[in-house]
Amino acid sequence: QVQLVQSGGGVVQPGTSLRLSCAASGFRFSVYGMHWVRQTPGKGLEWVAVIGHDGSMTNYGDSAKGRFTISRDNSRNMVYLQINSLRAEDTSVYYCVRDLKSGWFDFWGQGSLVTVSS
Amino acid sequence: EIVLTQSPATLSLSPGERATLSCRASQSLSSSLAWYQQKPGQPPRLLIYDASNRATGIPARFSGSGSGTDFTLTISSLEPEDFAVYYCQQRSNWLITFGPGTKVDIK
């Protein structure tokens, strides 16, 4: 069965960097695009980034441009989200999500809580 | 950015009743809209994509309709496990946005 198991997250200080990881299994990872979506109680659900099946295409939401980098390693069935210069407003639960038909989200990871606080 | 507005914010119904949830877009989406269900402590679950296609494993009591700027999610007869928050989502040109959600709670 499809599984997306996330790691990383936790409490981090403003201005530092963090990498979230997502291990995929149960499907042919190399043919699917992958996304990161975040959720906060105040702002709701927010799409962060997408990476194409082979890594050649990436796109970012407006809040993620410049400080966030999505990447993948198809040899390891892994997708990553690097966040630099963390801000309090980056505090969210971050989800790794599989793409269905270019922009729908059919399988979600369990979520990683990132809290940016001094 | 395309803004999605959902109504009502909260819908209070009893099991067995019909639920009708609305999502309105600030620009035409054609049929590019999806619906998700989220329960506390869980990630969202895809219910409907392309406005009216049920995702794999989704019961037939869930149906989606609409096109352009007005869309509807209908739950024909509420089961106890259907009380949750429902979100709509659009994907225009990789500028993906979600609605604020409708909470369906028990009356």
Side-chain angles (χ1 to χ4, degrees), chain A residues 16-62:
Chain A
T16 61
S17 298
L18 180 75
R19 188 176 82 160
L20 301 176
S21 300
C22 173
S25 61
F27 65 101
R28 194 174 161 201
F29 179 73
S30 62
V31 303
Y32 283 88
M34 297 294 296
H35 300 260
W36 289 93
V37 174
R38 67 184 183 181
Q39 185 172 30
T40 63
K43 287 192 68 177
L45 288 161
E46 183 182 13
W47 174 72
V48 174
V50 61
I51 187 166
H53 68 96
D54 61 0
S56 62
M57 180 278 287
T58 58
N59 262 301
Y60 297 89
D62 287 344

Side-chain angles (χ1 to χ4, degrees), chain A residues 35 37 39 44-47 50 57 59-62 65 95 99-106 108-111, chain B residues 1 31-34 36 38 41-46 49-51 53 87 89-91 94-99:
Chain A
H35 300 260
V37 174
Q39 185 172 30
L45 288 161
E46 183 182 13
W47 174 72
V50 61
M57 180 278 287
N59 262 301
Y60 297 89
D62 287 344
K65 290 176 181 173
Y95 292 103
D99 180 83
L100 173 69
K101 289 187 65 179
S102 299
W104 308 135
F105 308 125
D106 68 343
W108 297 62
Q110 83 277 17
Chain B
E1 174 181 299
S31 60
S32 287
L33 189 98
Y36 299 83
Q38 187 175 31
Q42 297 182 16
R45 173 193 182 198
L46 179 65
Y49 64 95
D50 292 342
N53 293 327
Y87 297 96
Q89 175 239 326
Q90 65 80 28
R91 62 171 186 179
W94 290 120
L95 298 173
I96 296 171
T97 56
F98 292 86

Side-chain angles (χ1 to χ4, degrees), chain A:
Chain A
Q1 72 281 22
V2 174
Q3 283 198 308
L4 298 171
V5 178
Q6 298 180 219
S7 58
V11 180
V12 294
Q13 293 203 331
T16 61
S17 298
L18 180 75
R19 188 176 82 160
L20 301 176
S21 300
C22 173
S25 61
F27 65 101
R28 194 174 161 201
F29 179 73
S30 62
V31 303
Y32 283 88
M34 297 294 296
H35 300 260
W36 289 93
V37 174
R38 67 184 183 181
Q39 185 172 30
T40 63
K43 287 192 68 177
L45 288 161
E46 183 182 13
W47 174 72
V48 174
V50 61
I51 187 166
H53 68 96
D54 61 0
S56 62
M57 180 278 287
T58 58
N59 262 301
Y60 297 89
D62 287 344
S63 300
K65 290 176 181 173
R67 296 187 297 117
F68 290 54
T69 304
I70 188 171
S71 61
R72 66 189 295 159
D73 183 343
N74 283 351
S75 68
R76 295 185 173 187
N77 288 1
M78 297 289 295
V79 62
Y80 306 99
L81 184 69
Q82 175 79 27
I83 312 173
N84 297 328
S85 303
L86 278 152
R87 305 167 180 168
E89 54 263 38
D90 296 322
T91 295
S92 285
V93 174
Y94 287 76
Y95 292 103
C96 165
V97 192
R98 192 177 81 167
D99 180 83
L100 173 69
K101 289 187 65 179
S102 299
W104 308 135
F105 308 125
D106 68 343
F107 283 96
W108 297 62
Q110 83 277 17
S112 296
L113 176 61
V114 174
T115 303
V116 183
S117 174
S118 54

Side-chain angles (χ1 to χ4, degrees), chain B residues 10-93:
Chain B
T10 304
L11 192 56
S12 297
L13 295 169
S14 300
E17 289 193 293
R18 182 183 188 89
T20 302
L21 288 67
S22 175
C23 179
R24 178 164 289 178
S26 59
Q27 300 175 37
S28 177
L29 301 176
S30 183
S31 60
S32 287
L33 189 98
W35 291 93
Y36 299 83
Q37 175 195 68
Q38 187 175 31
K39 298 177 182 179
Q42 297 182 16
R45 173 193 182 198
L46 179 65
L47 300 175
I48 301 287
Y49 64 95
D50 292 342
S52 60
N53 293 327
R54 269 190 304 276
T56 302
I58 301 304
R61 64 181 181 272
F62 292 92
S63 63
S65 62
S67 64
T69 60
D70 290 296
F71 299 86
T72 300
L73 174 69
T74 302
I75 311 171
S76 59
S77 178
L78 282 163
E79 297 287 339
E81 61 268 26
D82 299 337
F83 292 92
V85 179
Y86 293 83
Y87 297 96
C88 57
Q89 175 239 326
Q90 65 80 28
R91 62 171 186 179
S92 176
N93 295 323

